[in-house]
mmCIF file with all atom_site columns, all heavy atoms in Angstrom:
data_model
loop_
_atom_site.group_PDB
_atom_site.id
_atom_site.type_symbol
_atom_site.label_atom_id
_atom_site.label_alt_id
_atom_site.label_comp_id
_atom_site.label_asym_id
_atom_site.label_entity_id
_atom_site.label_seq_id
_atom_site.pdbx_PDB_ins_code
_atom_site.Cartn_x
_atom_site.Cartn_y
_atom_site.Cartn_z
_atom_site.occupancy
_atom_site.B_iso_or_equiv
_atom_site.pdbx_formal_charge
_atom_site.auth_seq_id
_atom_site.auth_comp_id
_atom_site.auth_asym_id
_atom_site.auth_atom_id
_atom_site.pdbx_PDB_model_num
ATOM 1  N N   . ASP A 1 66  ? 63.386  70.664  71.549  1.00 0.00 ? 66  ASP A N   1
ATOM 2  C CA  . ASP A 1 66  ? 62.931  71.699  72.475  1.00 0.00 ? 66  ASP A CA  1
ATOM 3  C C   . ASP A 1 66  ? 63.819  71.808  73.708  1.00 0.00 ? 66  ASP A C   1
ATOM 4  O O   . ASP A 1 66  ? 63.984  72.880  74.253  1.00 0.00 ? 66  ASP A O   1
ATOM 5  C CB  . ASP A 1 66  ? 61.486  71.413  72.914  1.00 0.00 ? 66  ASP A CB  1
ATOM 6  C CG  . ASP A 1 66  ? 60.540  71.622  71.747  1.00 0.00 ? 66  ASP A CG  1
ATOM 7  O OD1 . ASP A 1 66  ? 60.943  72.335  70.803  1.00 0.00 ? 66  ASP A OD1 1
ATOM 8  O OD2 . ASP A 1 66  ? 59.425  71.061  71.777  1.00 0.00 ? 66  ASP A OD2 1
ATOM 9  N N   . ILE A 1 108 ? 106.681 98.996  97.688  1.00 0.00 ? 108 ILE A N   1
ATOM 10 C CA  . ILE A 1 108 ? 107.923 98.896  96.919  1.00 0.00 ? 108 ILE A CA  1
ATOM 11 C C   . ILE A 1 108 ? 108.793 100.128 97.166  1.00 0.00 ? 108 ILE A C   1
ATOM 12 O O   . ILE A 1 108 ? 110.005 100.025 97.367  1.00 0.00 ? 108 ILE A O   1
ATOM 13 C CB  . ILE A 1 108 ? 107.617 98.723  95.419  1.00 0.00 ? 108 ILE A CB  1
ATOM 14 C CG1 . ILE A 1 108 ? 107.038 97.343  95.168  1.00 0.00 ? 108 ILE A CG1 1
ATOM 15 C CG2 . ILE A 1 108 ? 108.863 98.942  94.579  1.00 0.00 ? 108 ILE A CG2 1
ATOM 16 C CD1 . ILE A 1 108 ? 106.512 97.133  93.786  1.00 0.00 ? 108 ILE A CD1 1
ATOM 17 N N   . PHE A 1 178 ? 85.678  78.037  101.540 1.00 0.00 ? 178 PHE A N   1
ATOM 18 C CA  . PHE A 1 178 ? 87.114  78.270  101.397 1.00 0.00 ? 178 PHE A CA  1
ATOM 19 C C   . PHE A 1 178 ? 87.364  79.566  100.632 1.00 0.00 ? 178 PHE A C   1
ATOM 20 O O   . PHE A 1 178 ? 88.251  80.351  100.965 1.00 0.00 ? 178 PHE A O   1
ATOM 21 C CB  . PHE A 1 178 ? 87.740  77.070  100.684 1.00 0.00 ? 178 PHE A CB  1
ATOM 22 C CG  . PHE A 1 178 ? 89.249  77.052  100.714 1.00 0.00 ? 178 PHE A CG  1
ATOM 23 C CD1 . PHE A 1 178 ? 89.952  77.707  101.715 1.00 0.00 ? 178 PHE A CD1 1
ATOM 24 C CD2 . PHE A 1 178 ? 89.965  76.349  99.751  1.00 0.00 ? 178 PHE A CD2 1
ATOM 25 C CE1 . PHE A 1 178 ? 91.331  77.681  101.742 1.00 0.00 ? 178 PHE A CE1 1
ATOM 26 C CE2 . PHE A 1 178 ? 91.339  76.328  99.768  1.00 0.00 ? 178 PHE A CE2 1
ATOM 27 C CZ  . PHE A 1 178 ? 92.025  76.994  100.766 1.00 0.00 ? 178 PHE A CZ  1
ATOM 28 N N   . PHE A 1 294 ? 106.864 105.591 85.091  1.00 0.00 ? 294 PHE A N   1
ATOM 29 C CA  . PHE A 1 294 ? 106.284 104.336 85.578  1.00 0.00 ? 294 PHE A CA  1
ATOM 30 C C   . PHE A 1 294 ? 105.023 103.980 84.805  1.00 0.00 ? 294 PHE A C   1
ATOM 31 O O   . PHE A 1 294 ? 104.806 102.816 84.454  1.00 0.00 ? 294 PHE A O   1
ATOM 32 C CB  . PHE A 1 294 ? 105.963 104.450 87.071  1.00 0.00 ? 294 PHE A CB  1
ATOM 33 C CG  . PHE A 1 294 ? 107.080 103.999 87.962  1.00 0.00 ? 294 PHE A CG  1
ATOM 34 C CD1 . PHE A 1 294 ? 107.834 104.905 88.671  1.00 0.00 ? 294 PHE A CD1 1
ATOM 35 C CD2 . PHE A 1 294 ? 107.382 102.656 88.081  1.00 0.00 ? 294 PHE A CD2 1
ATOM 36 C CE1 . PHE A 1 294 ? 108.863 104.497 89.490  1.00 0.00 ? 294 PHE A CE1 1
ATOM 37 C CE2 . PHE A 1 294 ? 108.410 102.240 88.893  1.00 0.00 ? 294 PHE A CE2 1
ATOM 38 C CZ  . PHE A 1 294 ? 109.156 103.156 89.599  1.00 0.00 ? 294 PHE A CZ  1
ATOM 39 N N   . PHE A 1 296 ? 104.326 104.741 81.790  1.00 0.00 ? 296 PHE A N   1
ATOM 40 C CA  . PHE A 1 296 ? 104.784 104.316 80.469  1.00 0.00 ? 296 PHE A CA  1
ATOM 41 C C   . PHE A 1 296 ? 105.334 102.883 80.538  1.00 0.00 ? 296 PHE A C   1
ATOM 42 O O   . PHE A 1 296 ? 104.926 101.999 79.786  1.00 0.00 ? 296 PHE A O   1
ATOM 43 C CB  . PHE A 1 296 ? 105.869 105.303 80.019  1.00 0.00 ? 296 PHE A CB  1
ATOM 44 C CG  . PHE A 1 296 ? 106.569 104.949 78.739  1.00 0.00 ? 296 PHE A CG  1
ATOM 45 C CD1 . PHE A 1 296 ? 105.974 105.196 77.528  1.00 0.00 ? 296 PHE A CD1 1
ATOM 46 C CD2 . PHE A 1 296 ? 107.842 104.402 78.768  1.00 0.00 ? 296 PHE A CD2 1
ATOM 47 C CE1 . PHE A 1 296 ? 106.630 104.889 76.348  1.00 0.00 ? 296 PHE A CE1 1
ATOM 48 C CE2 . PHE A 1 296 ? 108.496 104.094 77.586  1.00 0.00 ? 296 PHE A CE2 1
ATOM 49 C CZ  . PHE A 1 296 ? 107.893 104.327 76.377  1.00 0.00 ? 296 PHE A CZ  1
ATOM 50 N N   . TRP A 1 302 ? 102.322 95.589  81.072  1.00 0.00 ? 302 TRP A N   1
ATOM 51 C CA  . TRP A 1 302 ? 100.982 94.990  80.973  1.00 0.00 ? 302 TRP A CA  1
ATOM 52 C C   . TRP A 1 302 ? 100.784 94.384  79.584  1.00 0.00 ? 302 TRP A C   1
ATOM 53 O O   . TRP A 1 302 ? 100.288 93.272  79.439  1.00 0.00 ? 302 TRP A O   1
ATOM 54 C CB  . TRP A 1 302 ? 99.908  96.054  81.240  1.00 0.00 ? 302 TRP A CB  1
ATOM 55 C CG  . TRP A 1 302 ? 98.539  95.530  81.004  1.00 0.00 ? 302 TRP A CG  1
ATOM 56 C CD1 . TRP A 1 302 ? 97.737  94.881  81.898  1.00 0.00 ? 302 TRP A CD1 1
ATOM 57 C CD2 . TRP A 1 302 ? 97.811  95.550  79.760  1.00 0.00 ? 302 TRP A CD2 1
ATOM 58 N NE1 . TRP A 1 302 ? 96.571  94.506  81.301  1.00 0.00 ? 302 TRP A NE1 1
ATOM 59 C CE2 . TRP A 1 302 ? 96.585  94.903  79.995  1.00 0.00 ? 302 TRP A CE2 1
ATOM 60 C CE3 . TRP A 1 302 ? 98.078  96.052  78.493  1.00 0.00 ? 302 TRP A CE3 1
ATOM 61 C CZ2 . TRP A 1 302 ? 95.631  94.747  79.001  1.00 0.00 ? 302 TRP A CZ2 1
ATOM 62 C CZ3 . TRP A 1 302 ? 97.127  95.883  77.503  1.00 0.00 ? 302 TRP A CZ3 1
ATOM 63 C CH2 . TRP A 1 302 ? 95.913  95.250  77.756  1.00 0.00 ? 302 TRP A CH2 1
ATOM 64 N N   . THR A 1 327 ? 85.649  83.398  72.444  1.00 0.00 ? 327 THR A N   1
ATOM 65 C CA  . THR A 1 327 ? 84.455  84.162  72.814  1.00 0.00 ? 327 THR A CA  1
ATOM 66 C C   . THR A 1 327 ? 84.761  85.652  72.866  1.00 0.00 ? 327 THR A C   1
ATOM 67 O O   . THR A 1 327 ? 83.928  86.472  72.493  1.00 0.00 ? 327 THR A O   1
ATOM 68 C CB  . THR A 1 327 ? 83.930  83.747  74.201  1.00 0.00 ? 327 THR A CB  1
ATOM 69 O OG1 . THR A 1 327 ? 85.019  83.756  75.119  1.00 0.00 ? 327 THR A OG1 1
ATOM 70 C CG2 . THR A 1 327 ? 83.304  82.385  74.171  1.00 0.00 ? 327 THR A CG2 1
ATOM 71 N N   . LEU A 1 407 ? 82.522  107.125 95.483  1.00 0.00 ? 407 LEU A N   1
ATOM 72 C CA  . LEU A 1 407 ? 82.952  106.529 96.748  1.00 0.00 ? 407 LEU A CA  1
ATOM 73 C C   . LEU A 1 407 ? 84.467  106.658 96.901  1.00 0.00 ? 407 LEU A C   1
ATOM 74 O O   . LEU A 1 407 ? 84.979  107.013 97.964  1.00 0.00 ? 407 LEU A O   1
ATOM 75 C CB  . LEU A 1 407 ? 82.551  105.055 96.741  1.00 0.00 ? 407 LEU A CB  1
ATOM 76 C CG  . LEU A 1 407 ? 82.488  104.325 98.079  1.00 0.00 ? 407 LEU A CG  1
ATOM 77 C CD1 . LEU A 1 407 ? 81.315  104.843 98.885  1.00 0.00 ? 407 LEU A CD1 1
ATOM 78 C CD2 . LEU A 1 407 ? 82.349  102.826 97.850  1.00 0.00 ? 407 LEU A CD2 1
ATOM 79 N N   . PRO A 1 423 ? 105.442 114.385 104.804 1.00 0.00 ? 423 PRO A N   1
ATOM 80 C CA  . PRO A 1 423 ? 106.041 113.737 105.969 1.00 0.00 ? 423 PRO A CA  1
ATOM 81 C C   . PRO A 1 423 ? 107.155 114.623 106.532 1.00 0.00 ? 423 PRO A C   1
ATOM 82 O O   . PRO A 1 423 ? 107.899 115.246 105.780 1.00 0.00 ? 423 PRO A O   1
ATOM 83 C CB  . PRO A 1 423 ? 106.605 112.430 105.426 1.00 0.00 ? 423 PRO A CB  1
ATOM 84 C CG  . PRO A 1 423 ? 105.969 112.237 104.102 1.00 0.00 ? 423 PRO A CG  1
ATOM 85 C CD  . PRO A 1 423 ? 105.619 113.588 103.589 1.00 0.00 ? 423 PRO A CD  1
#
Side-chain angles (χ1 to χ4, degrees):
Chain A
D66 291 339
I108 289 171
F178 192 25
F294 269 107
F296 174 79
W302 174 88
T327 50
L407 199 70

